[in-house]
Amino acid sequence: MDWQTTADTVPSSFITEAQVHTLGKPPVTGAWREGDPVGERLFASIGALVVESGDELPSVRIAYESWGTLSPAKDNAILVLHALTGDSHVTGAHGPGHTNSGWWSAIVGPGKAIDTDRWFVVAPNVLGGCQGTTGPASLAPDGAEWAARFPYVTIRDQVAAQIAFSDAIGIDRWAAVVGGSMGGMHVLEWAIMAPERLERIAVLAAPPVTTADQIALNTVQMEAIRTDPAFRHGDFYDELEGPTRGLALARRMALLNYRSPTELNERFHREWQSDISPLGAGGRFAVESYLDFHGNKFTRRFDANSYITLTESMNSHDIGRGRGGVAAALERITARALVLGVGSDRYFPYSGQAEIAAGLRTGIRQGEPYRIESEYGHDAFLIESDLVGEAITELLAA
């Protein structure tokens, strides 16, 4: 296995003691900071942004990557929007500036479902993120990190930033806007907020609203970070130690939401990590070691404040808010639509995608989602490349 991939994009597997020892001491933050290697990032300024709360960000910069060539008519552009722990590095190798290889390299590239020989593909890092776009780890006008002062931003605020970003790079209309999980929330808002600016949408493993159950799951992750003594109310950037234990614990909780019981049970059973018994002798079960390793690995590429900011954004998600409800909001969508759900998804269950598909007048599956049966749960939209690729190919041909 390539250990430069994220846990989201590969099946669960045993962790060796050698792999554990490769991690070393975590940084205070895994955010990309000014002065770090740029890698494949490009940057666009969108100026000031007033968010729904009324707070203002006086200057917003969007980090993004692109692949392929924009046609003279500018009619072949596809916007790819990432999930909570993703970033703009959709495809490509790891290296300076990119701690992981691309999270969707099996879907985006020459000859693939989103064929970069045909399409001009753009992926921005989300507002509030930590990989180059303005977020809590970015410097505020006073020269210190925004940290906990960063405004509360909603999914709609993030889409407003993406619309301004589209203006900044000269794209008036997208041939498709594609996203999964949190990115799928953004896709829905795009289709409602700016229907004239996109032809197709792909909503992958995302709900129409974040339910109370989902908010509850998200809230305990945020509390895991906040209760780490090293969090210091978000002001940890100048310290020797960051809230890595809390962030790693939040990631471990999230992985349980992202995967299915079937996968964890069949891959790990009750196996021990080593010869030391976990039954009172100080050893660990193999599944414990898996979660611990990927939780700690996550701290090398993410920021604790950003995790809270983006999780709060996901909790804000409700396409029916102020629009007369979900059904009325879905009626506004005019783009040809693919809605994809995963039968084993326990984070954003298939019923949410069924509700979206049933409310659309423009779905390519006539009121039904494209259903994937997979042992991988929510993360299937990142792992089941052949099935997801077939669905996206169907959309792009529509």
Side-chain angles (χ1 to χ4, degrees), residues 29 31-35 56-61 129-130 132-147 149-151 237-238 303:
T29 175
W32 182 89
R33 312 293 293 279
E34 210 68 50
E56 181 179 17
L57 287 163
S59 178
V60 174
R61 181 181 68 177
C130 61
T133 291
T134 301
S138 303
L139 297 182
D142 63 2
E145 289 83 3
W146 279 100
R149 300 177 297 163
F150 195 79
Y237 295 103
D238 292 330
D303 176 73

Side-chain angles (χ1 to χ4, degrees), residues 35-213:
D36 289 345
V38 170
E40 302 301 317
R41 292 176 184 80
L42 302 169
F43 298 94
S45 174
I46 63 170
L49 181 71
V50 178
V51 297
E52 283 196 89
S53 68
D55 290 334
E56 181 179 17
L57 287 163
S59 178
V60 174
R61 181 181 68 177
I62 305 292
Y64 69 102
E65 295 178 49
S66 66
W67 304 266
T69 303
L70 185 63
S71 67
K74 297 185 178 182
D75 59 357
N76 69 330
I78 293 180
L79 184 66
V80 175
L81 303 173
H82 65 78
L84 168 65
T85 62
D87 54 36
S88 64
H89 200 50
V90 171
T91 185
H94 70 274
H98 303 290
T99 56
N100 292 107
S101 54
W103 54 266
W104 231 15
S105 291
I107 297 290
V108 177
K112 297 178 181 177
I114 302 180
D115 186 353
T116 51
D117 287 337
R118 175 186 179 189
W119 303 103
F120 176 63
V121 181
V122 179
N125 185 217
V126 70
L127 177 69
C130 61
Q131 292 300 319
T133 291
T134 301
S138 303
L139 297 182
D142 63 2
E145 289 83 3
W146 279 100
R149 300 177 297 163
F150 195 79
Y152 180 93
V153 294
T154 65
I155 294 293
R156 295 182 191 180
D157 292 326
Q158 291 163 337
V159 171
Q162 292 165 3
I163 291 171
F165 162 71
S166 302
D167 293 338
I169 64 171
I171 305 294
D172 296 325
R173 185 173 173 85
W174 296 97
V177 179
V178 179
S181 194
M182 183 184 77
M185 298 176 180
H186 293 134
V187 172
L188 285 168
E189 283 294 343
W190 256 98
I192 296 166
M193 291 170 63
E196 74 287 355
R197 299 196 63 165
L198 69 176
E199 296 178 25
R200 305 172 184 85
I201 59 170
V203 180
L204 313 177
V209 303
T210 303
T211 65
D213 178 59

Side-chain angles (χ1 to χ4, degrees), residues 227-245:
T227 55
D228 185 329
F231 182 60
R232 301 173 186 272
H233 303 288
D235 294 320
F236 54 80
Y237 295 103
D238 292 330
E239 302 296 330
L240 296 177
E241 180 182 353
T244 53
R245 293 185 66 184

